[in-house]
Amino acid sequence: MTEALERPVVPPVSDADPFAADVLLEPEPLHRTLREAGPVVRLSRYDVHALARYEHVHAALLDWQHFESGSGAGLANFRHEKPWRPPSLLLEADPPLHDAPCRVLREILAPPALHRLRAGWQAVAEEIVDQVLSQGSEFDAFPALAEAFPLQAFPDVVGLGPDGRENLLPYGNMVFNAFGPRNGLVTADAPRLAELSAWVNAQCRREALSEDGFGAQIWAAADRGDLTQEQAPLVVRSLLSAGFDTTVHGIAACLYALATHPQEWQRLRKRPELARVAFEEAIRWQSPVQTFFRTATTDVTVAGTLIPAHTKILMFLGAANRDPARWPDPDRFDLTRDPSGHVGFGMGIHQCIGQHVARLEAETLLTALARRVEHLELTGPPRRHPNNTLRSWTSLPMRVRPAA
Ligand code: OVM
């Protein structure tokens, strides 16, 4: 990443606001502008640097030594500003602090450990799909499928109690807004911040969790000495922060993609084993997590352009995932392409630790839907919900033709 150039170039400057409401709802035009402006662009409004080309986003995510996370994965620099909550031990920590929490959670969320969830989640998926279809051929797929499935599948697996689960999505929405600037979205979350944080923190205690869930496994790691007693609740908190809104909007991205690409739906119907490719391609195409920040640990040059030490760098995952230099016909949702290598789950040491959980959720839901639905289409405009980090939704009105 860092070449010893004698005269590093100063980056072009943009006064665009990537967190403005209209940009959050339709980010592609800004993504194109930033990719074309140069390998690095300075965003004068926030005094940060931005990377939007695949090559450089990918390389910077792998180079955690120069692009650190411990100063915060949002706009706020934890060296100068008190974080709004104790930083995540996974997302907002660098090695060596990051290592033990990552090792523990990676094992709990690894594919072999998830294997025993498959049959149960297939049953949940079939029940939800059957129930939706029994009520008619038109419904809003956002609440009925995209929200319903993760909220029925994952809380029990974590070991959450029955009360207050309706707080999970609002809490996540708030967490992902908090990575951005203190704009109207953050102001709107403020009235519920204390209440939602208190509920989530209470669920992270050993006593609040069932004895057989992922939460209990995290506490067991602390009992073995693989984590400290202080770390355990923060690792549970990561599951509650990053484990719900992400999968809800990832599944919504899939449903939106398939409802607007009937040929791809037919392909999936004929070959249900494409469900995983469909999810991966939807993650590339929509990038439910649009951006994260890193912080330069030293002066670094990216393709000859200087980024000064200690400045924040905004990584445009969504722009990288549609970079024409990396992806042929990037704006096309296409089940015949190989979407692997996308940065929708990040890359490197912070790459999504829950990705196998997300894939299993999407696979089981899409497979159940593909078995029962011959055709699906939108009946009206899908509605997005602005969030400083997430490409999120509130409504996906659909009509389906059930399979004979
Ligand atoms: C965490 C966390 C929160 C939000 C997102 C995320 C996508 C992680 O608390 O660890 O990763």
Side-chain angles (χ1 to χ4, degrees):
M1 208 74 220
T2 308
E3 316 96 46
L5 280 191
E6 299 218 330
R7 286 193 296 127
V9 170
V10 174
V13 180
S14 165
D15 70 352
D17 182 359
F19 303 100
D22 56 325
V23 177
L24 293 174
L25 293 174
E26 201 204 326
E28 285 86 2
L30 175 63
H31 291 173
R32 184 170 309 117
T33 303
L34 293 176
R35 276 193 311 259
E36 289 173 2
V40 182
V41 179
R42 198 170 78 83
L43 299 177
S44 54
R45 219 172 262 260
Y46 298 113
D47 197 19
V48 302
H49 291 78
L51 304 182
R53 295 184 183 175
Y54 179 88
E55 178 189 352
H56 303 120
V57 169
H58 182 261
L61 290 175
L62 289 173
D63 184 2
W64 57 266
Q65 292 91 339
H66 291 106
F67 298 90
E68 69 176 9
S69 294
S71 301
L75 176 63
N77 189 324
F78 294 172
R79 288 168 187 260
H80 311 120
E81 281 181 67
K82 186 173 147 38
W84 71 276
R85 60 174 197 168
S88 163
L89 297 174
L90 292 147
L91 183 71
E92 298 165 318
D94 302 298
L97 189 62
H98 172 266
D99 296 341
C102 185
R103 240 189 332 263
V104 165
L105 197 55
R106 195 165 46 213
E107 183 127 332
I108 294 170
L109 302 180
L114 300 185
H115 196 72
R116 62 180 185 87
L117 303 178
R118 176 179 287 270
W121 284 4
Q122 281 167 341
V124 172
E126 299 198 349
E127 188 185 309
I128 287 177
V129 170
D130 280 347
Q131 209 237 330
V132 167
L133 295 183
S134 74
Q135 287 171 7
S137 59
E138 294 193 19
F139 55 89
D140 190 334
F142 182 72
L145 298 174
E147 288 191 316
F149 183 76
L151 282 177
Q152 274 189 50
F154 197 50
D156 289 343
V157 167
V158 173
L160 287 182
D163 297 333
R165 292 179 177 194
E166 69 280 2
N167 293 326
L168 288 165
L169 293 177
Y171 182 76
N173 183 63
M174 180 173 84
V175 167
F176 281 96
N177 274 332
F179 295 120
R182 296 197 177 166
N183 56 16
L185 296 171
V186 171
T187 312
D189 289 337
R192 296 198 67 194
L193 190 149
E195 167 217 347
L196 292 170
S197 300
W199 180 80
V200 162
N201 292 339
Q203 309 317 304
C204 297
R205 292 173 304 128
R206 184 199 295 269
E207 302 73 37
L209 295 157
S210 73
E211 284 173 16
D212 55 355
F214 290 167
Q217 291 181 47
I218 291 167
W219 278 101
D223 294 341
R224 289 196 303 272
D226 293 346
L227 293 175
T228 67
Q229 299 287 315
E230 291 71 39
Q231 288 175 320
L234 283 174
V235 176
V236 179
R237 196 193 65 183
S238 284
L239 289 180
L240 305 186
S241 303
F244 291 93
D245 300 69
T246 48
T247 46
V248 164
H249 297 295
I251 289 170
C254 251
L255 296 172
Y256 169 67
L258 291 163
T260 52
H261 295 76
Q263 217 186 329
E264 304 307 272
W265 181 252
Q266 289 315 317
R267 230 194 274 279
L268 175 64
R269 291 252 305 145
K270 279 198 203 91
R271 293 185 51 205
E273 68 276 14
L274 285 176
R276 286 194 166 239
V277 176
F279 179 61
E280 223 58 34
E281 171 67 348
I283 297 301
R284 182 199 69 81
W285 189 60
Q286 288 290 304
S287 301
V289 176
Q290 286 272 301
T291 48
F292 269 124
F293 287 87
R294 295 289 189 261
T295 307
T297 55
T298 64
D299 283 0
V300 289
T301 59
V302 173
T305 306
L306 176 72
I307 299 177
H310 312 309
T311 59
K312 285 271 173 175
I313 302 137
L314 185 50
M315 307 279 167
F316 281 90
L317 308 177
N321 280 339
R322 289 183 180 219
D323 183 346
R326 170 63 179 80
W327 309 97
D329 205 356
D331 297 329
R332 206 181 127 82
F333 174 76
D334 178 2
L335 295 189
T336 67
R337 82 162 82 234
D338 176 5
S340 60
H342 73 74
V343 292
F345 286 127
M347 199 49 73
I349 65 167
H350 293 289
Q351 191 179 31
C352 179
I353 203 162
Q355 59 185 285
H356 308 292
V357 180
R359 290 191 184 113
L360 186 59
E361 288 187 27
E363 182 197 349
T364 50
L365 181 65
L366 282 185
T367 306
L369 199 62
R371 251 202 305 275
R372 282 165 175 70
V373 170
E374 190 174 294
H375 176 79
L376 70 167
E377 64 191 13
L378 294 178
T379 53
R383 283 209 311 276
R384 294 198 183 264
H385 170 73
N387 180 283
N388 279 334
T389 305
L390 291 174
R391 187 112 214 243
S392 46
W393 306 80
T394 48
S395 180
L396 286 169
M398 274 188 202
R399 177 186 303 122
V400 301
R401 189 162 65 237

